[in-house]
């Protein structure tokens, strides 16, 4: 018997629908809601074992075991002489700058430019409360989450290099938690009962360090069996986006043709004045527009 959905269930269903639209726009699912990830290979049927065939002649013995020097050992007949030792090739290391969402059948994909020292400083420096509150969010919840995902897929990786392009699987894990935090549904997990921060709709203006501290009290690391993917990694990506959003003019690969905001210019000057001579010059650069990226950002979208 069907029952009328409660207001909470209706809200949750709408949030799921909007999150699926995010996934669809980023190419992570198809229009039927199926994941656009590599499908697992079908299980291989076991090969039938061949009947054991007894050798027609005497078993082959190693000349080395018989005490014959290596240079006197008979070589098997054939064009190549002695059989060459073969081993399968090692797995190729993942390219930390290849934008996997741009790869197509006949197109190798776009390479993201390596991180500059100025960009690294921006991503590693926490924002002040005043800087957080000055952040300009484009549109509503859906818009800033999509904006975050476009940044995270280009700079949200950790291995093999800090702030590299993340793997598709790790990107999806971040998306799951960020979408729930932004919707206000709260985070649940199988390691304990209850819901963390239900009813709290997160935005980049929040104090994410304080929120992560509360989250790790709700689910301590020693009880988290997800290797940090329940809270730690998603919150770290949120903080990186928060900082990049403030200094967005330094990331033309994600946000092309953006000029520094008045708050960013003022913060760069203030931090330069409070720093030593060598560091002051670097902070002054933070308030300047970055050199434009040619066409990579446009091709990446």
């Amino acid at each position: 018997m069907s029952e009328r959905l409660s207001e909470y269930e209706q809200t949750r269903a709408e949030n799921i629908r909007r999150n699926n639209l995010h996934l669809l726009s980023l190419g992570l699912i198809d229009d039927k809601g199926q994941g656009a990830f590599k499908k697992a290979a079908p299980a291989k049927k076991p090969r039938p074992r061949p009947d054991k065939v007894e050798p027609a002649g005497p078993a082959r013995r190693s000349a080395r075991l018989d005490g014959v020097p290596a240079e006197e050992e008979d070589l098997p007949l054939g064009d190549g002489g002695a059989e060459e030792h073969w081993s399968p090739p090692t797995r190729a290391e993942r390219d930390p700058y290849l934008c996997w969402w741009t790869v197509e059948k006949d197109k190798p994909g776009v390479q993201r430019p390596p991180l500059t020292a100025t960009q690294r400083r921006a991503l590693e420096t926490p924002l002040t409360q005043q800087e957080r509150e000055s952040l300009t969010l484009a549109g509503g919840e859906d818009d800033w989450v999509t904006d975050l995902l476009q940044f995270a897929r280009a700079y949200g990786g950790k291995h093999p290099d800090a702030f590299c392009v993340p793997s598709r699987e790790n990107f999806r894990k971040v998306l799951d938690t960020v979408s729930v935090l932004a919707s206000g549904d709260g985070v649940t997990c199988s390691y304990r009962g209850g819901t963390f921060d239900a009813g709290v709709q997160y935005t980049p203006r929040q104090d994410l360090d304080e929120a992560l501290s509360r989250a790790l009290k709700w689910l301590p690391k020693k009880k988290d069996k997800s290797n940090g993917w329940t809270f730690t990694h998603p919150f770290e990506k949120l903080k990186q986006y928060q900082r990049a959003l403030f200094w967005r003019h330094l990331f033309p690969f994600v946000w092309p043709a953006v000029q520094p905001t008045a708050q960013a210019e003022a913060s760069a000057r203030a931090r330069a004045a409070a720093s030593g001579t060598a560091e002051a010059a670097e902070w002054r650069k933070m308030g300047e527009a970055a050199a434009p990226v040619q066409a990579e950002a446009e091709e990446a979208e």
Side-chain angles (χ1 to χ4, degrees):
M1 181 177 66
S2 61
E3 296 182 358
R4 191 166 178 266
L5 293 177
S6 66
E7 182 179 353
Y8 172 79
E9 291 172 325
Q10 292 175 357
T11 302
R12 184 174 181 82
E14 175 62 17
N15 286 333
I16 292 174
R17 184 190 69 81
R18 291 186 307 197
N19 291 340
N20 283 338
L21 289 177
H22 285 317
L23 292 170
L24 181 61
S25 67
L26 294 167
L28 294 176
I29 62 172
D30 57 26
D31 55 3
K32 297 180 181 178
Q34 301 298 317
F37 300 100
K38 186 182 291 184
K39 295 183 179 179
K44 295 183 179 179
K45 295 182 179 179
R47 294 181 179 179
R49 292 185 177 182
D51 296 334
K52 186 175 181 180
V53 179
E54 296 294 336
R60 181 182 177 187
R61 293 178 57 83
S62 169
R64 289 187 177 87
L65 295 179
D66 289 338
V68 180
E71 60 270 20
E72 297 180 17
E73 183 178 359
D74 292 336
L75 298 178
L77 298 177
D79 296 336
E83 296 180 4
E84 296 181 0
H85 176 71
W86 180 88
S87 60
T90 58
R91 182 179 178 180
E93 186 178 5
R94 185 175 68 83
D95 188 336
Y97 300 113
L98 177 63
C99 302
W100 40 260
W101 63 94
T102 66
V103 177
E104 299 176 4
K105 183 177 180 180
D106 300 320
K107 182 180 177 182
V110 173
Q111 288 280 332
R112 196 212 77 194
L115 200 72
T116 67
T118 304
Q119 289 173 330
R120 181 179 293 274
R121 182 184 293 271
L123 295 176
E124 292 178 344
T125 305
L127 299 182
T128 65
Q129 180 179 351
Q130 183 180 7
E131 289 170 340
R132 290 198 315 270
E133 293 175 351
S134 72
L135 292 175
T136 301
L137 307 183
E141 169 198 329
D142 289 354
D143 297 307
W144 82 256
V145 171
T146 299
D147 195 49
L148 178 148
L149 296 176
Q150 290 173 339
F151 168 80
R153 69 183 182 180
Y155 292 93
K158 188 175 180 180
H159 297 291
D161 295 331
F163 310 116
C164 64
V165 174
S167 69
R168 188 187 294 258
E169 292 76 14
N170 288 349
F171 173 76
R172 175 62 184 266
K173 293 175 186 177
V174 172
L175 166 65
D176 290 342
T177 301
V178 169
S179 298
V180 170
L181 290 172
S183 69
D185 286 346
V187 178
T188 59
C189 70
S190 58
Y191 315 126
R192 61 153 292 171
T195 305
F196 174 75
D197 269 4
V200 179
Q201 286 189 296
Y202 275 69
T203 75
R205 295 194 183 105
Q206 285 175 270
D207 186 344
L208 298 174
D209 286 309
E210 183 275 335
L212 178 57
S213 177
R214 287 189 296 103
L216 294 181
K217 289 179 181 178
W218 186 82
L219 181 67
K221 289 185 177 180
K222 63 182 180 180
K223 295 184 178 180
D224 183 7
K225 308 302 181 184
S226 70
N227 293 324
W229 285 107
T230 303
F231 288 120
T232 304
H233 299 318
F235 268 96
E236 289 300 323
K237 307 311 174 191
L238 268 170
K239 287 192 284 185
Q240 291 169 14
Y241 169 71
Q242 184 185 64
R243 298 163 188 173
L245 187 62
F246 183 79
W247 304 103
R248 60 189 300 157
H249 60 281
L250 299 177
F251 297 89
F253 185 79
V254 179
W255 299 294
V258 172
Q259 295 299 314
T261 64
Q263 183 62 46
E265 291 176 334
S267 293
R269 290 194 299 268
R271 290 176 183 267
S275 303
T277 305
E279 200 174 9
E282 294 299 321
W283 277 115
R284 281 193 289 271
K285 289 182 182 178
M286 300 280 285
E288 303 172 358
V293 178
Q294 293 179 348
E296 289 100 338
E298 295 179 4
E299 293 180 31
E301 295 304 324

